[in-house]
């Protein structure tokens, strides 16, 4: 019985570490999308989109590993919660990675036209907060942090929402008075929304960490 428990815990540790590795790939893609936006690097945008294939492949592999582990070891209690959370986070992280590709795709639509620095700077701040939330939430999950640690990881979510709303108001205001800015403004609205969604999904990661640690799922969004 002890050996079986040890095997379950070993597989749990391995899968949580693999979730951390997948999360690192996603954060790397998001960081690159930030660089792409800040430097208007269209060649980097193409590389971000191409690299999404690796994230998708890792998702499929981890899904299979989670299913096999759940079927073979029949975990219980906290181990069951952790392995179930791994199964959910595989999909969650793959979708977050898509947002990096979405930003890159918008940049390619924009092309060589330079973006106004003020809204770009504001969007970069939103992106930084969102990515920071995701990194902290992932760390809480992979390190088996307690409920308070998981909750603290995403306290910037309301700030991200407020900042997005302010950016939207500013962009729409300019679009109303400057018809030629309408298309550029629309692209910028798409980009800031993608980063806001990263923050939203970071709260989902934190909720899974709370679930594993405390056995209940809070609404952190």
């Amino acid at each position: 019985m002890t050996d079986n428990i040890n095997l379950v815990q070993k597989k749990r540790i391995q899968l949580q570490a693999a979730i951390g590795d997948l999360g690192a790939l996603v954060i790397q893609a998001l960081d690159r999308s930030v660089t792409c936006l800040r430097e208007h690097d269209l060649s980097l945008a193409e590389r971000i989109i191409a690299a999404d294939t690796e994230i998708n492949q890792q998702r499929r592999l981890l899904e299979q590993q989670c299913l096999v582990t759940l079927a073979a070891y029949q975990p219980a209690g906290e181990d069951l919660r952790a392995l179930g959370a791994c199964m959910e986070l595989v999909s969650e992280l793959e979708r977050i990675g898509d947002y990096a590709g979405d930003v890159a795709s918008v940049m390619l639509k924009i092309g060589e036209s330079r973006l106004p620095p003020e809204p770009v700077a504001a969007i970069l701040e939103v992106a930084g907060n969102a990515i920071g939330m995701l990194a902290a939430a992932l760390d809480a999950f992979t390190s088996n942090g307690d409920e308070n640690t998981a909750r603290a990881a995403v306290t910037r979510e309301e700030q991200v929402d407020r900042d997005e709303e302010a950016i939207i108001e500013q962009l729409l205001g300019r679009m109303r008075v400057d018809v030629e800015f309408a298309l550029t403004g629309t692209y910028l609205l798409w980009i800031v929304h993608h980063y806001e969604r990263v923050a939203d999904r970071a709260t989902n990661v934190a909720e899974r960490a709370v679930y594993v640690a405390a056995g209940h799922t809070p609404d952190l969004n």
Side-chain angles (χ1 to χ4, degrees):
M1 185 64 176
T2 301
D3 290 342
N4 186 52
I5 292 173
N6 288 338
L7 283 173
V8 170
Q9 292 173 340
K10 182 178 179 180
K11 292 299 295 183
R12 169 185 169 179
I13 291 169
Q14 290 173 344
L15 284 171
Q16 283 182 281
I19 290 294
D21 292 341
L22 178 59
L25 285 177
V26 170
I27 289 172
Q28 180 184 66
L30 290 168
D31 285 339
R32 287 176 173 174
S33 76
V34 167
T35 301
C36 176
L37 174 60
R38 184 178 61 246
E39 300 181 5
H40 208 100
D41 189 335
L42 300 184
S43 64
L44 179 57
E46 293 175 346
R47 296 198 298 274
I48 291 167
I49 293 169
D52 189 58
T53 300
E54 182 179 1
I55 292 174
N56 294 338
Q57 291 173 340
Q58 287 300 310
R59 174 200 173 169
R60 288 190 289 269
L61 178 61
L62 280 175
E63 280 180 337
Q64 292 174 354
Q65 292 176 353
C66 287
L67 287 171
V68 168
T69 300
L70 288 168
Y73 296 97
Q74 298 182 344
E78 185 176 321
D79 292 325
L80 176 59
R81 296 199 301 270
L83 291 171
C86 285
M87 189 75 184
E88 293 183 24
L89 291 184
V90 167
S91 177
E92 197 74 47
L93 289 171
E94 187 271 336
R95 186 65 193 95
I96 296 171
D98 285 343
Y99 294 132
D102 292 338
V103 171
S105 294
V106 174
M107 292 301 296
L108 291 178
K109 289 179 183 296
I110 293 169
E112 298 295 338
S113 300
R114 306 306 295 185
L115 294 170
E118 294 84 0
V120 167
I123 292 172
L124 291 174
E125 184 171 351
V126 169
N129 281 328
I131 296 168
M133 286 171 56
L134 176 60
L138 275 169
D139 183 66
F141 177 76
T142 58
S143 65
N144 295 309
D146 61 18
E147 179 173 353
N148 289 336
T149 300
R151 285 178 175 273
V154 292
T155 54
R156 286 176 283 180
E157 201 270 337
E158 290 185 0
Q159 183 63 54
V160 168
D161 286 346
R162 287 193 297 269
D163 290 345
E164 182 200 24
E165 290 174 4
I167 292 168
I168 290 172
E169 289 181 8
Q170 291 170 3
L171 290 173
L172 290 178
R174 182 169 174 179
M175 290 163 71
R176 291 187 189 102
V177 300
D178 183 356
V179 176
E180 293 184 356
F181 181 72
L183 184 57
T184 297
T186 300
Y187 287 144
L188 290 170
L189 288 172
W190 287 353
I191 292 173
V192 72
H193 181 65
H194 292 321
Y195 286 126
E196 188 274 336
R197 292 298 295 147
V198 172
D200 278 349
R201 289 185 180 270
T203 65
N204 294 343
V205 176
E207 287 173 1
R208 292 297 87 197
V210 171
Y211 174 67
V212 173
H216 67 92
T217 304
D219 183 1
L220 299 180
N221 190 345

